[in-house]
Amino acid sequence: MQTPLQETATWLNQRLTARELQVMKLVIQGLPSKSIAAKLGISQRTVDAHRGSMYSKLNVRGAMELAHLVFTRGMRSRYSLAEPDADAYNGSGQTQTSSLIERDYIAEQDDHPVR
């Protein structure tokens, strides 16, 4: 039996090419197409083509829907901007998503002063 993280990875790997997965990771991190192109050594136009293909295959309309889809399917820890803390792992080597979400929520609260 697969964990939710493994199920999501399998689901994405069945739908996207290796390059689309690379682009997806960078899109979720918030990078614009120009930066993704430079990082991957391809043209911006190629990145845009991969984005369009990826959005179509996953039935999303843009980067925000893509991020929401991936995060809600259990991949938050794999594609988050920051690496998870060592204490966010349990003994089986799987990331405990709830502790990562809680940590991110607390960090967001610190970033926004109360008005």
Side-chain angles (χ1 to χ4, degrees), residues 5 8 12 15 20 26 29 33-34 37-38 47 55 59 62 75 90 94-95 111:
L5 183 65
T8 303
L12 287 170
R15 285 162 178 74
E20 288 169 343
L26 297 171
Q29 291 178 359
S33 293
K34 186 174 183 177
V47 171
Y55 294 163
N59 197 27
M75 296 297 290
N90 62 27
Q94 296 297 322
T95 303
D111 291 343

PDB file of all heavy atoms in Angstrom, residues 5 8 12 15 20 26 29 33-34 37-38 47 55 59 62 75 90 94-95 111:
ATOM      1  N   LEU A   5       1.842  10.472  -0.301  1.00  0.00           N
ATOM      2  CA  LEU A   5       2.962  11.075  -1.016  1.00  0.00           C
ATOM      3  C   LEU A   5       3.356  10.216  -2.215  1.00  0.00           C
ATOM      4  O   LEU A   5       3.546  10.718  -3.323  1.00  0.00           O
ATOM      5  CB  LEU A   5       4.143  11.260  -0.068  1.00  0.00           C
ATOM      6  CG  LEU A   5       5.386  11.935  -0.606  1.00  0.00           C
ATOM      7  CD1 LEU A   5       5.074  13.379  -0.978  1.00  0.00           C
ATOM      8  CD2 LEU A   5       6.495  11.887   0.423  1.00  0.00           C
ATOM      9  N   THR A   8       0.633  10.301  -4.985  1.00  0.00           N
ATOM     10  CA  THR A   8       0.673  11.541  -5.767  1.00  0.00           C
ATOM     11  C   THR A   8       1.842  11.527  -6.737  1.00  0.00           C
ATOM     12  O   THR A   8       1.698  11.933  -7.889  1.00  0.00           O
ATOM     13  CB  THR A   8       0.750  12.764  -4.839  1.00  0.00           C
ATOM     14  OG1 THR A   8      -0.368  12.731  -3.972  1.00  0.00           O
ATOM     15  CG2 THR A   8       0.755  14.059  -5.628  1.00  0.00           C
ATOM     16  N   LEU A  12       1.407  11.818 -10.754  1.00  0.00           N
ATOM     17  CA  LEU A  12       2.062  12.842 -11.576  1.00  0.00           C
ATOM     18  C   LEU A  12       2.985  12.211 -12.620  1.00  0.00           C
ATOM     19  O   LEU A  12       3.014  12.647 -13.769  1.00  0.00           O
ATOM     20  CB  LEU A  12       2.851  13.809 -10.690  1.00  0.00           C
ATOM     21  CG  LEU A  12       2.023  14.794  -9.880  1.00  0.00           C
ATOM     22  CD1 LEU A  12       2.885  15.519  -8.872  1.00  0.00           C
ATOM     23  CD2 LEU A  12       1.311  15.777 -10.781  1.00  0.00           C
ATOM     24  N   ARG A  15       1.321  11.074 -15.740  1.00  0.00           N
ATOM     25  CA  ARG A  15       0.714  12.098 -16.582  1.00  0.00           C
ATOM     26  C   ARG A  15       1.723  13.052 -17.232  1.00  0.00           C
ATOM     27  O   ARG A  15       1.466  13.581 -18.306  1.00  0.00           O
ATOM     28  CB  ARG A  15      -0.291  12.906 -15.760  1.00  0.00           C
ATOM     29  CG  ARG A  15      -1.564  12.137 -15.511  1.00  0.00           C
ATOM     30  CD  ARG A  15      -2.384  12.696 -14.369  1.00  0.00           C
ATOM     31  NE  ARG A  15      -3.618  11.950 -14.192  1.00  0.00           N
ATOM     32  CZ  ARG A  15      -3.686  10.737 -13.667  1.00  0.00           C
ATOM     33  NH1 ARG A  15      -2.595  10.137 -13.259  1.00  0.00           N
ATOM     34  NH2 ARG A  15      -4.838  10.121 -13.532  1.00  0.00           N
ATOM     35  N   GLU A  20       8.482  18.153 -17.905  1.00  0.00           N
ATOM     36  CA  GLU A  20       7.318  18.836 -17.335  1.00  0.00           C
ATOM     37  C   GLU A  20       7.361  18.792 -15.810  1.00  0.00           C
ATOM     38  O   GLU A  20       6.997  19.768 -15.143  1.00  0.00           O
ATOM     39  CB  GLU A  20       6.021  18.207 -17.849  1.00  0.00           C
ATOM     40  CG  GLU A  20       5.739  18.531 -19.299  1.00  0.00           C
ATOM     41  CD  GLU A  20       4.618  17.706 -19.900  1.00  0.00           C
ATOM     42  OE1 GLU A  20       4.238  16.659 -19.324  1.00  0.00           O
ATOM     43  OE2 GLU A  20       4.123  18.105 -20.963  1.00  0.00           O
ATOM     44  N   LEU A  26       9.605  24.074 -10.458  1.00  0.00           N
ATOM     45  CA  LEU A  26      10.040  25.471 -10.460  1.00  0.00           C
ATOM     46  C   LEU A  26       8.857  26.435 -10.515  1.00  0.00           C
ATOM     47  O   LEU A  26       8.894  27.506  -9.911  1.00  0.00           O
ATOM     48  CB  LEU A  26      11.017  25.699 -11.609  1.00  0.00           C
ATOM     49  CG  LEU A  26      12.316  24.878 -11.499  1.00  0.00           C
ATOM     50  CD1 LEU A  26      13.130  24.975 -12.778  1.00  0.00           C
ATOM     51  CD2 LEU A  26      13.128  25.285 -10.290  1.00  0.00           C
ATOM     52  N   GLN A  29       7.491  26.778  -7.126  1.00  0.00           N
ATOM     53  CA  GLN A  29       8.360  27.613  -6.298  1.00  0.00           C
ATOM     54  C   GLN A  29       8.187  29.097  -6.602  1.00  0.00           C
ATOM     55  O   GLN A  29       8.757  29.941  -5.932  1.00  0.00           O
ATOM     56  CB  GLN A  29       9.825  27.206  -6.472  1.00  0.00           C
ATOM     57  CG  GLN A  29      10.123  25.843  -5.884  1.00  0.00           C
ATOM     58  CD  GLN A  29      11.562  25.428  -6.090  1.00  0.00           C
ATOM     59  OE1 GLN A  29      12.361  26.142  -6.693  1.00  0.00           O
ATOM     60  NE2 GLN A  29      11.902  24.259  -5.590  1.00  0.00           N
ATOM     61  N   SER A  33       8.707  32.164 -16.055  1.00  0.00           N
ATOM     62  CA  SER A  33       9.203  31.354 -17.182  1.00  0.00           C
ATOM     63  C   SER A  33      10.626  31.723 -17.576  1.00  0.00           C
ATOM     64  O   SER A  33      11.430  30.839 -17.904  1.00  0.00           O
ATOM     65  CB  SER A  33       8.278  31.494 -18.390  1.00  0.00           C
ATOM     66  OG  SER A  33       7.035  30.908 -18.122  1.00  0.00           O
ATOM     67  N   LYS A  34      10.957  32.989 -17.554  1.00  0.00           N
ATOM     68  CA  LYS A  34      12.301  33.428 -17.945  1.00  0.00           C
ATOM     69  C   LYS A  34      13.362  32.823 -17.022  1.00  0.00           C
ATOM     70  O   LYS A  34      14.408  32.350 -17.487  1.00  0.00           O
ATOM     71  CB  LYS A  34      12.372  34.952 -17.912  1.00  0.00           C
ATOM     72  CG  LYS A  34      13.659  35.523 -18.434  1.00  0.00           C
ATOM     73  CD  LYS A  34      13.588  37.041 -18.498  1.00  0.00           C
ATOM     74  CE  LYS A  34      14.852  37.612 -19.086  1.00  0.00           C
ATOM     75  NZ  LYS A  34      14.776  39.072 -19.231  1.00  0.00           N
ATOM     76  N   ALA A  37      13.613  29.039 -17.612  1.00  0.00           N
ATOM     77  CA  ALA A  37      14.359  28.789 -18.845  1.00  0.00           C
ATOM     78  C   ALA A  37      15.863  28.876 -18.598  1.00  0.00           C
ATOM     79  O   ALA A  37      16.629  28.009 -19.032  1.00  0.00           O
ATOM     80  CB  ALA A  37      13.937  29.784 -19.921  1.00  0.00           C
ATOM     81  N   ALA A  38      16.292  29.908 -17.891  1.00  0.00           N
ATOM     82  CA  ALA A  38      17.717  30.076 -17.603  1.00  0.00           C
ATOM     83  C   ALA A  38      18.235  28.917 -16.745  1.00  0.00           C
ATOM     84  O   ALA A  38      19.318  28.386 -16.992  1.00  0.00           O
ATOM     85  CB  ALA A  38      17.953  31.410 -16.905  1.00  0.00           C
ATOM     86  N   VAL A  47       9.655  26.661 -22.233  1.00  0.00           N
ATOM     87  CA  VAL A  47       9.078  26.593 -20.885  1.00  0.00           C
ATOM     88  C   VAL A  47       7.577  26.847 -20.964  1.00  0.00           C
ATOM     89  O   VAL A  47       6.782  26.117 -20.364  1.00  0.00           O
ATOM     90  CB  VAL A  47       9.754  27.592 -19.925  1.00  0.00           C
ATOM     91  CG1 VAL A  47       9.000  27.675 -18.597  1.00  0.00           C
ATOM     92  CG2 VAL A  47      11.201  27.211 -19.689  1.00  0.00           C
ATOM     93  N   TYR A  55      -0.487  22.113 -17.775  1.00  0.00           N
ATOM     94  CA  TYR A  55      -1.786  22.610 -17.316  1.00  0.00           C
ATOM     95  C   TYR A  55      -2.922  21.829 -17.973  1.00  0.00           C
ATOM     96  O   TYR A  55      -3.907  21.488 -17.327  1.00  0.00           O
ATOM     97  CB  TYR A  55      -1.946  24.098 -17.615  1.00  0.00           C
ATOM     98  CG  TYR A  55      -1.020  25.029 -16.876  1.00  0.00           C
ATOM     99  CD1 TYR A  55      -0.840  26.336 -17.314  1.00  0.00           C
ATOM    100  CD2 TYR A  55      -0.316  24.639 -15.752  1.00  0.00           C
ATOM    101  CE1 TYR A  55      -0.010  27.219 -16.653  1.00  0.00           C
ATOM    102  CE2 TYR A  55       0.530  25.505 -15.084  1.00  0.00           C
ATOM    103  CZ  TYR A  55       0.686  26.802 -15.535  1.00  0.00           C
ATOM    104  OH  TYR A  55       1.511  27.658 -14.871  1.00  0.00           O
ATOM    105  N   ASN A  59      -5.480  19.483 -16.069  1.00  0.00           N
ATOM    106  CA  ASN A  59      -6.758  20.190 -16.057  1.00  0.00           C
ATOM    107  C   ASN A  59      -6.781  21.341 -15.056  1.00  0.00           C
ATOM    108  O   ASN A  59      -7.698  21.465 -14.241  1.00  0.00           O
ATOM    109  CB  ASN A  59      -7.914  19.216 -15.807  1.00  0.00           C
ATOM    110  CG  ASN A  59      -9.249  19.801 -16.174  1.00  0.00           C
ATOM    111  OD1 ASN A  59      -9.338  20.676 -17.035  1.00  0.00           O
ATOM    112  ND2 ASN A  59     -10.298  19.342 -15.528  1.00  0.00           N
ATOM    113  N   GLY A  62      -3.754  27.513 -14.304  1.00  0.00           N
ATOM    114  CA  GLY A  62      -2.572  28.321 -14.065  1.00  0.00           C
ATOM    115  C   GLY A  62      -1.754  27.809 -12.896  1.00  0.00           C
ATOM    116  O   GLY A  62      -2.040  26.762 -12.305  1.00  0.00           O
ATOM    117  N   MET A  75       1.856  16.473  -1.832  1.00  0.00           N
ATOM    118  CA  MET A  75       3.221  16.699  -2.282  1.00  0.00           C
ATOM    119  C   MET A  75       3.848  17.953  -1.700  1.00  0.00           C
ATOM    120  O   MET A  75       4.911  18.356  -2.111  1.00  0.00           O
ATOM    121  CB  MET A  75       3.245  16.795  -3.813  1.00  0.00           C
ATOM    122  CG  MET A  75       2.825  15.527  -4.505  1.00  0.00           C
ATOM    123  SD  MET A  75       3.925  14.149  -4.163  1.00  0.00           S
ATOM    124  CE  MET A  75       5.365  14.666  -5.073  1.00  0.00           C
ATOM    125  N   ASN A  90       9.214  10.992  10.149  1.00  0.00           N
ATOM    126  CA  ASN A  90       8.981   9.921  11.102  1.00  0.00           C
ATOM    127  C   ASN A  90       9.978   8.805  10.823  1.00  0.00           C
ATOM    128  O   ASN A  90      10.804   8.905   9.927  1.00  0.00           O
ATOM    129  CB  ASN A  90       7.528   9.431  11.058  1.00  0.00           C
ATOM    130  CG  ASN A  90       7.134   8.854   9.712  1.00  0.00           C
ATOM    131  OD1 ASN A  90       7.983   8.363   8.977  1.00  0.00           O
ATOM    132  ND2 ASN A  90       5.860   8.890   9.390  1.00  0.00           N
ATOM    133  N   GLN A  94       9.195   8.906   5.759  1.00  0.00           N
ATOM    134  CA  GLN A  94       8.158   9.702   5.106  1.00  0.00           C
ATOM    135  C   GLN A  94       7.979  11.019   5.840  1.00  0.00           C
ATOM    136  O   GLN A  94       8.062  11.072   7.066  1.00  0.00           O
ATOM    137  CB  GLN A  94       6.821   8.948   5.104  1.00  0.00           C
ATOM    138  CG  GLN A  94       6.859   7.677   4.293  1.00  0.00           C
ATOM    139  CD  GLN A  94       7.128   7.950   2.830  1.00  0.00           C
ATOM    140  OE1 GLN A  94       6.651   8.923   2.269  1.00  0.00           O
ATOM    141  NE2 GLN A  94       7.912   7.090   2.202  1.00  0.00           N
ATOM    142  N   THR A  95       7.751  12.079   5.098  1.00  0.00           N
ATOM    143  CA  THR A  95       7.533  13.387   5.686  1.00  0.00           C
ATOM    144  C   THR A  95       6.155  13.444   6.325  1.00  0.00           C
ATOM    145  O   THR A  95       5.182  12.988   5.749  1.00  0.00           O
ATOM    146  CB  THR A  95       7.624  14.477   4.604  1.00  0.00           C
ATOM    147  OG1 THR A  95       8.883  14.362   3.981  1.00  0.00           O
ATOM    148  CG2 THR A  95       7.467  15.851   5.198  1.00  0.00           C
ATOM    149  N   ASP A 111       5.202  36.558   9.775  1.00  0.00           N
ATOM    150  CA  ASP A 111       5.501  37.488   8.682  1.00  0.00           C
ATOM    151  C   ASP A 111       4.479  38.622   8.561  1.00  0.00           C
ATOM    152  O   ASP A 111       4.757  39.634   7.956  1.00  0.00           O
ATOM    153  CB  ASP A 111       5.550  36.747   7.347  1.00  0.00           C
ATOM    154  CG  ASP A 111       6.746  35.820   7.265  1.00  0.00           C
ATOM    155  OD1 ASP A 111       7.684  35.985   8.063  1.00  0.00           O
ATOM    156  OD2 ASP A 111       6.731  34.938   6.394  1.00  0.00           O
TER     157      ASP A 111
END
